[in-house]
Amino acid sequence: MAGSQVLKRRRTALERAEKFLSESCFPDCNLRGRLFGDTCPLVSLSCFQTPQRIPHDEAVRQEFRPTKVGDSFGPTWWTCWFKVELSIPREWAGKEVHLLWESDGEGMVWRDAQPVQGLTKEGEKTSYILTDGLKEAEPHSLTVYVEVACNGLFGAGKGSLIAPPDPDKKFTLNKAELVVFNRDVHELLVDFEILVDMAKVLGEENQRSFQTLYVANQMVNLLDVTDSCTFPAVRHLASSIFSQKNGESQHTIHAMGHCHIDSAWLWPYEESIRKCARSWVTVIRLMEKNPEFTFVCSQAQQFEWVRNWYPGLYAQIQDYAKEGRFIPVGGTWVEMDGNLPSGESMVRQFLQGQRFFQQQFGKLCSEFWLPDTFGYSAQLPQLMRGCGIRWFLTQKLSWSLVNTFPHSTFFWEGIDGSQVLTHFPPGNSYALKGRVEEMLKTMNNNRDKGRVNHSAALFGFGDGGGGPTQKMLDRLKRMSDTDGLPRVQMSTPDRFFSMLEKEKTQLFTWIGELFLELHNGTYTTQAQIKKGNRECERILHDAEVLSSFALTQKNTFQYPSIKLQHLWRLLLLNQFHDVLPGSCIQLVVEDAMRYYAEIRSMCGLLIKDAVRSLFGELLPTGPETAESLLVLNTLPWERTEVISRTGAKTLGAIVLESVQDGHCANQFVIFDDVPLYWDAWDVMDYHLETRKPITTLLKPLEIVLAGGLRGSVKFSLQISEWSVITQEVILDAMCPYLRFLTQVDWNEAHRFLKVEFPLQVRSMNATYEIQFGHLQRPTHWNTSWDWARFEVWSHKWMDLSEHGFGVALLNDCKYGASVHKNVMSLSLLRAPKSPDPTADIGPHEFTYAVMPHRGSFQEAGVIRYAYNLNFPLHTVPAVSAQCPAWSAFSVHSPAVVLETVKQAEDRLDGLVVRLYESHGSTVVTWLQTSLPVKEAISCDLLERPDPSSHLPLEEHGLKLSFTPFQVRSVLLILRQ
């Protein structure tokens, strides 16, 4: 006889099923309360604390003292090592036994002197599997160690995620015991969860929603949580849903395990090393139990950390990489900022990253993996293609505050015409949890429906690490081919992008930069980091150029390749997308400044060595007095300028003529700067409503130098009771720009300092330098896409020109800028308080320059003058007054910049020179050299020579052709 049918109310049926899974409601009689069976206390628990991050071998030799559950440890950034002695009861034979560990902080289990499992409550990892099914022959008693970092998955902010760290925070051990884990209960819980989520998310208008709800309700009726004999029938009932397959047209989601680890952010670099180990060793454990599981992992620097600090774990990673399951991706040294590094720095990110992956894993990456950066330069497509990369994945543009980007899958075209196939995972996250809602969003949010039927889904805890969990994998298995849901399959980047390639004929193309309409304060925050970056990019350039020249002139000179690689890697590390942008805690800033100091110091020594090797006979070797100066120019053009002394006297007048009538040039202005949430990251459009000119004169104008080759004046302005600007305005006789050497004693809170130049120039667009080129942005706010760019980024220069005349604004270390209508503005300093309360507080020194010009900025040489401002001449005392003039390279076309000269990575007898077309023109030019070159071969940005592209050495040098903004590398083989 059939049972009586009860009329089900959707709400009560749904809540009944939810309560059956609840951790807090009715755990005495629901299914969740049966996840763990018998428990057993530990034999003993002891610990010791240290402010240092020490290796396991050193830790286990320390004196451990008894401790217990409920005790607290710390403070922040310390490490507490626990010695855990345990004995598994004999009567638990055949059962799955876990060490249940719940504590604040991030933990790592060590067993037999090897890391075996990460434990992080925030990352839903609170147990370590001691045995899947205890055998009599297995040891029942053993000792393991748990290393607990006194910081959470997201650092130790006080009160909010991005608040400065609480230095006195304490961390508590809440649970430490042995438990029997009921695997059959876990499987049922996942079944229930998927069905309940389908019922909720599919909605009342979807018949599948009601099917899953009624099945879940029947399962509750059928299941006796105290009698495991009822479990098989309940699981069979669940499978009646999961076994109903999709049609052939269903959307396919390519799921890939992921674990985004910020190389530094709310924690220092050293803690990131341990985050990598904790996260990746957990991935290895999951791979042992889930043969279909694939995991993608970027950032060569992090692999290098694990290789050096955890060699046993690294060997396991390499084994799974050979199987194609632990998959290195991205091709860069770190996931760098996509806006601020120079073009050459971006090349080195790929060069160092791709070479590492080739050497360590036997293959180059085909995809650039940059999910979490704050915008994407329009030069990136060319750099990717030049480094063996044809695919690009990111998702951060989904954070844009104003406009919704119109595509999920498309071709991205750079300023030179290079294209890469690009995908934005429609789930808008790189840290999915494998839930029904996320898979449906991934399908429904696809903005290219009808053109593409495949999407990527990256799952696993991220930012602070953690990675995937077994529960995530179990959820995805049940959604592999279930009617009502998209198909979900474990995949790889190669498999996924290859499927997109088959559908590429229907894709749209996006040309130009991918501008993030958020986090535009990162162009200015932490000015000292940005200054250090620009300076170190310059000094590394100079060290390589001079060392390359020395290599060609002296057979005894040893090119310092190992030292330079070390220094470049330090710089590249600091270009990580939360360090160079300034969105990091004070400890990270201190690390970054220390690395910059090391680069400056060591490069200074390398330059001295190269100069001595090149010009040793001209340099003093003892107490003799120098008679002259040896002047070294590391740029590929003569540094004599086009303006005479008489002309220099009129430069000031030209500057004044270029200023809008009734307005002041070089006007310092200050704004209130309180974003909605992301303090160090964001500048909101409403800050513009609070503009206040700085006009209080602290020290009146005084003449410093009266004229001749240089004239200058100096003054000071009072910003506030706590902050002062002192500026020297410098006019050089042989220079077409007016320099502003600026010192600021800055002690503000949530204020934004800029300098403005209102110009007598009208143009619909302004031009901004980017990596290896430039682009235009509108000066008007016609559309939401226009006004969302109220604060943008630029490199060494920007320019506002009308036909026949314009004004360029140059700088030596600034990146934030804007041009609205005719007002050109350079962003100077911010004062956020989270996550670093000391950000930008203190003294600053920087230079900018205004350069009015006739004709276009290309014809006026703005690009070269911006280089000159950033690359000062080197002067060395010499004993001879007859220092010979010597030139290593020259380029005939002013449109082509010789950016880099370095030793080839794989040929000791080779130099690589890198040039780019800077004007946006098609041009043929000659590269002349006095170096002993016997052969020239075109190569890509990874320095792989093109055997079919030998370049003839002619009387005038090398004849090279360029298309607009093209970057070219040439391998020069030297005569021995």
Side-chain angles (χ1 to χ4, degrees):
M1 180 178 174
S4 60
Q5 297 299 311
V6 177
L7 184 63
K8 297 181 179 68
R9 288 187 66 228
R10 177 180 173 84
R11 175 184 168 184
T12 56
L14 191 56
E15 286 200 22
R16 181 196 188 200
E18 289 178 321
K19 294 295 191 293
F20 200 61
L21 310 178
S22 174
E23 293 184 2
S24 57
C25 296
F26 312 113
D28 60 320
C29 57
N30 72 4
L31 183 60
R32 179 78 62 184
R34 296 299 189 275
L35 185 59
F36 297 112
D38 294 339
T39 65
C40 176
L42 304 176
V43 173
S44 72
L45 183 64
S46 54
C47 73
F48 94 94
Q49 297 187 74
T50 172
Q52 307 300 321
R53 297 175 177 90
I54 62 175
H56 170 273
D57 291 349
E58 182 180 343
V60 297
R61 297 195 301 266
Q62 305 304 310
E63 180 182 353
F64 285 76
R65 297 183 177 180
T67 190
K68 63 184 184 301
V69 171
D71 286 351
S72 294
F73 44 95
T76 304
W77 308 126
W78 280 49
T79 299
C80 189
W81 284 83
F82 292 88
K83 183 177 183 181
V84 181
E85 298 178 79
L86 55 91
S87 180
I88 304 173
R90 295 284 175 182
E91 57 270 25
W92 287 6
K95 297 182 179 180
E96 182 174 334
V97 182
H98 290 201
L99 169 63
L100 192 61
W101 184 278
E102 293 184 13
S103 72
D104 303 325
E106 295 189 86
M108 169 78 89
V109 181
W110 290 80
R111 185 172 180 176
D112 300 326
Q114 291 297 319
V116 292
Q117 174 70 54
L119 294 173
T120 307
K121 185 169 59 176
E122 296 162 283
E124 297 181 2
K125 298 177 183 69
T126 56
S127 69
Y128 164 59
I129 303 175
L130 291 164
T131 173
D132 290 326
L134 184 65
K135 298 179 177 62
E136 189 61 37
E138 284 186 75
H140 286 240
S141 297
L142 66 151
T143 299
V144 299
Y145 291 86
V146 181
E147 175 191 14
V148 177
C150 294
N151 53 264
L153 203 60
F154 295 96
K158 187 174 183 178
S160 76
L161 173 71
I162 63 170
D166 178 357
D168 301 316
K169 191 172 182 178
K170 292 293 184 179
F171 297 76
T172 302
L173 176 61
N174 299 305
K175 190 172 290 187
E177 60 188 10
L178 302 186
V179 297
V180 172
F181 184 80
N182 293 323
R183 181 64 58 179
D184 52 354
V185 173
H186 166 83
E187 297 294 341
L188 267 174
L189 281 168
V190 178
D191 287 345
F192 266 108
E193 181 189 282
I194 297 296
L195 295 176
V196 170
D197 282 353
M198 287 178 68
K200 285 195 299 184
V201 179
L202 289 174
E204 294 188 38
E205 296 181 358
N206 188 301
Q207 64 89 23
R208 189 69 165 155
S209 167
F210 284 91
Q211 286 182 350
T212 56
L213 176 60
Y214 292 164
V215 167
N217 189 78
Q218 287 178 272
M219 289 167 64
V220 178
N221 290 336
L222 186 60
L223 183 64
D224 181 348
V225 297
T226 66
D227 183 4
S228 61
C229 293
T230 64
F231 289 11
V234 177
R235 292 221 65 198
H236 180 73
L237 194 55
S239 69
S240 69
I241 293 290
F242 300 135
S243 62
Q244 293 176 324
K245 305 302 182 185
N246 277 301
E248 292 184 5
S249 66
Q250 185 58 272
H251 191 80
T252 299
I253 293 176
H254 295 250
M256 293 170 256
H258 192 244
C259 179
H260 182 64
I261 301 175
D262 286 323
S263 292
W265 178 31
L266 304 175
W267 51 86
Y269 286 125
E270 280 192 352
E271 193 56 42
S272 297
I273 299 172
R274 300 200 295 188
K275 283 177 175 287
C276 292
R278 286 190 289 262
S279 302
W280 297 357
V281 76
T282 304
V283 167
I284 296 299
R285 298 288 85 78
L286 291 173
M287 287 186 170
E288 292 170 350
K289 296 181 179 298
N290 302 271
E292 78 288 353
F293 174 41
T294 58
F295 178 77
V296 292
C297 191
S298 66
Q299 305 194 72
Q301 171 69 86
Q302 295 186 359
F303 282 95
E304 178 74 350
W305 280 336
V306 172
R307 186 170 79 99
N308 290 334
W309 288 87
Y310 303 90
L313 170 59
Y314 189 75
Q316 295 178 51
I317 289 171
Q318 287 185 306
D319 289 342
Y320 279 107
K322 290 175 184 175
E323 297 180 12
R325 296 177 60 198
F326 201 112
I327 306 166
V329 295
T332 51
W333 190 247
V334 296
E335 289 183 8
M336 74 282 196
D337 179 78
N339 298 323
L340 307 185
S342 70
E344 188 60 29
S345 289
M346 286 187 166
V347 170
R348 300 307 176 93
Q349 287 283 355
F350 287 109
L351 180 66
Q352 291 295 325
Q354 288 284 55
R355 287 179 63 83
F356 180 89
F357 290 132
Q358 178 71 61
Q359 292 163 2
Q360 294 295 315
F361 298 98
K363 61 177 292 188
L364 298 176
C365 299
S366 298
E367 68 294 307
F368 182 30
W369 202 268
L370 194 62
D372 183 32
T373 196
F374 310 146
Y376 312 85
S377 167
Q379 189 58 280
L380 274 169
Q382 180 179 193
L383 302 186
M384 287 186 237
R385 296 308 298 258
C387 294
I389 286 172
R390 61 186 187 274
W391 303 324
F392 176 45
L393 183 143
T394 186
Q395 70 84 39
K396 196 68 173 188
L397 227 60
S398 66
W399 282 44
S400 282
L401 200 61
V402 181
N403 299 283
T404 299
F405 193 78
H407 303 296
S408 299
T409 304
F410 59 100
F411 282 101
W412 180 23
E413 183 175 308
I415 57 174
D416 74 310
S418 297
Q419 291 187 344
V420 288
L421 179 57
T422 300
H423 182 70
F424 295 173
N428 290 347
S429 175
Y430 48 78
L432 301 177
K433 306 301 183 291
R435 305 201 68 113
V436 168
E437 181 180 10
E438 297 168 339
M439 297 305 110
L440 286 170
K441 181 179 180 180
T442 296
M443 177 179 68
N444 296 331
N445 201 41
N446 172 26
R447 302 194 181 280
D448 296 279
K449 294 180 179 71
R451 292 187 291 271
V452 175
N453 208 22
H454 295 263
S455 296
L458 311 180
F459 66 94
F461 286 94
D463 287 338
T469 67
Q470 184 63 54
K471 184 180 286 187
M472 295 176 193
L473 291 169
D474 292 339
R475 290 168 181 154
L476 294 172
K477 288 174 188 176
R478 286 158 174 79
M479 291 186 278
S480 61
D481 194 3
T482 297
D483 184 36
L485 299 177
R487 281 197 182 92
V488 181
Q489 63 182 38
M490 281 291 161
S491 191
T492 66
D494 279 354
R495 196 181 310 153
F496 169 64
F497 277 104
S498 295
M499 294 303 297
L500 296 185
E501 291 274 11
K502 295 178 181 179
E503 301 175 328
K504 66 182 181 182
T505 57
Q506 300 190 72
L507 297 178
F508 285 97
T509 298
W510 181 274
I511 300 175
E513 67 180 329
L514 296 172
F515 184 84
L516 178 65
E517 298 168 355
L518 196 72
H519 292 0
N520 40 17
T522 60
Y523 316 147
T524 305
T525 304
Q526 298 285 9
Q528 295 288 26
I529 286 183
K530 291 169 172 61
K531 182 176 182 179
N533 177 74
R534 184 82 65 86
E535 289 178 343
C536 289
E537 286 177 335
R538 170 187 60 80
I539 199 169
L540 277 165
H541 166 278
D542 289 358
E544 286 185 334
V545 167
L546 294 171
S547 296
S548 297
F549 295 166
L551 178 68
T552 66
Q553 301 299 308
K554 303 288 185 180
N555 290 331
T556 58
F557 181 80
Q558 295 291 315
Y559 189 89
S561 55
I562 294 176
K563 292 179 180 178
L564 283 168
Q565 181 190 72
H566 167 71
L567 298 177
W568 265 110
R569 286 181 172 182
L570 287 182
L571 178 63
L572 299 180
L573 175 58
N574 274 354
Q575 289 175 347
F576 180 75
H577 65 252
D578 274 309
V579 180
L580 180 53
S583 48
C584 53
I585 62 173
Q586 185 178 1
L587 282 175
V588 178
V589 177
E590 292 169 1
D591 285 343
M593 298 310 292
R594 188 170 66 252
Y595 291 162
Y596 289 142
E598 182 178 347
I599 294 168
R600 291 187 191 99
S601 175
M602 289 190 66
C603 278
L605 295 176
L606 296 181
I607 289 172
K608 286 182 180 179
D609 289 345
V611 171
R612 187 159 294 280
S613 182
L614 279 166
F615 306 107
E617 67 278 5
L618 301 176
L619 306 182
T621 56
E624 63 266 40
T625 302
E627 298 179 7
S628 64
L629 281 178
L630 181 64
V631 180
L632 303 176
N633 173 22
T634 59
L635 296 177
W637 50 75
E638 292 186 20
R639 301 285 283 273
T640 55
E641 316 296 356
V642 297
I643 292 183
S644 67
R645 292 191 186 187
T646 304
K649 295 178 181 178
T650 66
L651 176 60
I654 297 173
V655 171
L656 292 176
E657 289 172 8
S658 67
V659 177
Q660 184 181 9
D661 291 344
H663 292 75
C664 296
N666 193 41
Q667 175 67 66
F668 291 101
V669 289
I670 198 160
F671 303 82
D672 294 342
D673 185 17
V674 184
L676 295 177
Y677 176 72
W678 296 100
D679 198 358
W681 291 258
D682 288 351
V683 168
M684 311 309 297
D685 55 352
Y686 53 73
H687 87 280
L688 297 170
E689 302 173 29
T690 67
R691 177 183 178 275
K692 299 178 185 67
I694 297 171
T695 58
T696 303
L697 198 62
L698 185 64
K699 291 184 180 179
L701 195 72
E702 61 176 351
I703 296 174
V704 179
L705 295 171
L709 292 177
R710 171 174 293 175
S712 70
V713 295
K714 195 173 186 178
F715 63 92
S716 294
L717 294 173
Q718 187 87 45
I719 301 174
S720 69
E721 182 181 349
W722 309 278
S723 303
V724 173
I725 297 170
T726 301
Q727 190 170 72
E728 185 177 5
V729 185
I730 303 169
L731 183 63
D732 287 329
M734 302 294 286
C735 186
Y737 52 72
L738 189 63
R739 278 192 298 142
F740 299 86
L741 176 59
T742 311
Q743 295 175 326
V744 183
D745 187 5
W746 181 249
N747 295 284
E748 299 297 313
H750 291 118
R751 306 259 271 172
F752 193 0
L753 179 67
K754 304 183 186 184
V755 64
E756 294 178 348
F757 288 84
L759 303 174
Q760 198 72 37
V761 179
R762 179 173 175 80
S763 176
M764 297 289 283
N765 295 286
T767 306
Y768 302 81
E769 187 192 36
I770 68 169
Q771 296 84 358
F772 296 137
H774 58 265
L775 54 74
Q776 290 189 330
R777 300 184 181 110
T779 59
H780 56 76
W781 291 350
N782 280 359
T783 71
S784 60
W785 294 86
D786 299 331
W787 66 257
R789 287 170 164 81
F790 59 86
E791 178 79 5
V792 298
W793 61 273
S794 182
H795 279 207
K796 297 185 294 293
W797 60 270
M798 56 180 169
D799 184 84
L800 184 65
S801 291
E802 57 190 38
H803 179 69
F805 179 75
V807 178
L809 188 57
L810 323 179
N811 75 85
D812 71 347
C813 63
K814 298 300 174 185
Y815 296 91
S818 67
V819 182
H820 183 221
K821 296 183 179 178
N822 65 327
V823 179
M824 186 177 289
S825 176
L826 186 65
S827 299
L828 302 178
L829 294 168
R830 294 187 69 219
K833 297 302 170 188
S834 293
D836 176 9
T838 69
D840 286 321
I841 298 303
H844 298 266
E845 183 171 305
F846 50 86
T847 297
Y848 55 89
V850 61
M851 179 180 167
H853 57 82
R854 302 295 179 189
S856 69
F857 71 85
Q858 293 98 327
E859 295 165 337
V862 164
I863 298 169
R864 286 190 172 187
Y865 289 121
Y867 269 95
N868 291 352
L869 182 69
N870 280 266
F871 287 78
L873 297 166
H874 295 265
T875 57
V876 181
V879 295
S880 170
Q882 302 298 319
C883 294
W886 177 72
S887 174
F889 287 102
S890 62
V891 183
H892 284 199
S893 170
V896 176
V897 176
L898 174 57
E899 175 74 18
T900 300
V901 183
K902 65 181 288 290
Q903 186 183 53
E905 296 290 322
D906 296 318
R907 292 199 60 156
L908 298 180
D909 63 342
L911 296 180
V912 168
V913 295
R914 190 156 15 259
L915 310 95
Y916 73 96
E917 197 289 317
S918 66
H919 286 180
S921 60
T922 298
V923 66
V924 176
T925 191
W926 290 93
L927 172 65
Q928 284 189 308
T929 181
S930 61
L931 304 182
V933 176
K934 68 177 182 180
E935 188 179 1
I937 311 168
S938 284
C939 61
D940 67 5
L941 298 180
L942 298 183
E943 304 183 9
R944 297 177 296 183
D946 180 355
S948 64
S949 186
H950 283 254
L951 302 171
L953 292 168
E954 303 182 36
E955 181 180 354
H956 296 292
L958 295 175
K959 189 177 183 180
L960 300 173
S961 61
F962 291 83
T963 54
F965 304 118
Q966 182 181 6
V967 181
R968 293 196 61 176
S969 297
V970 180
L971 174 63
L972 303 177
I973 309 301
L974 303 173
R975 292 194 299 270
Q976 298 298 307

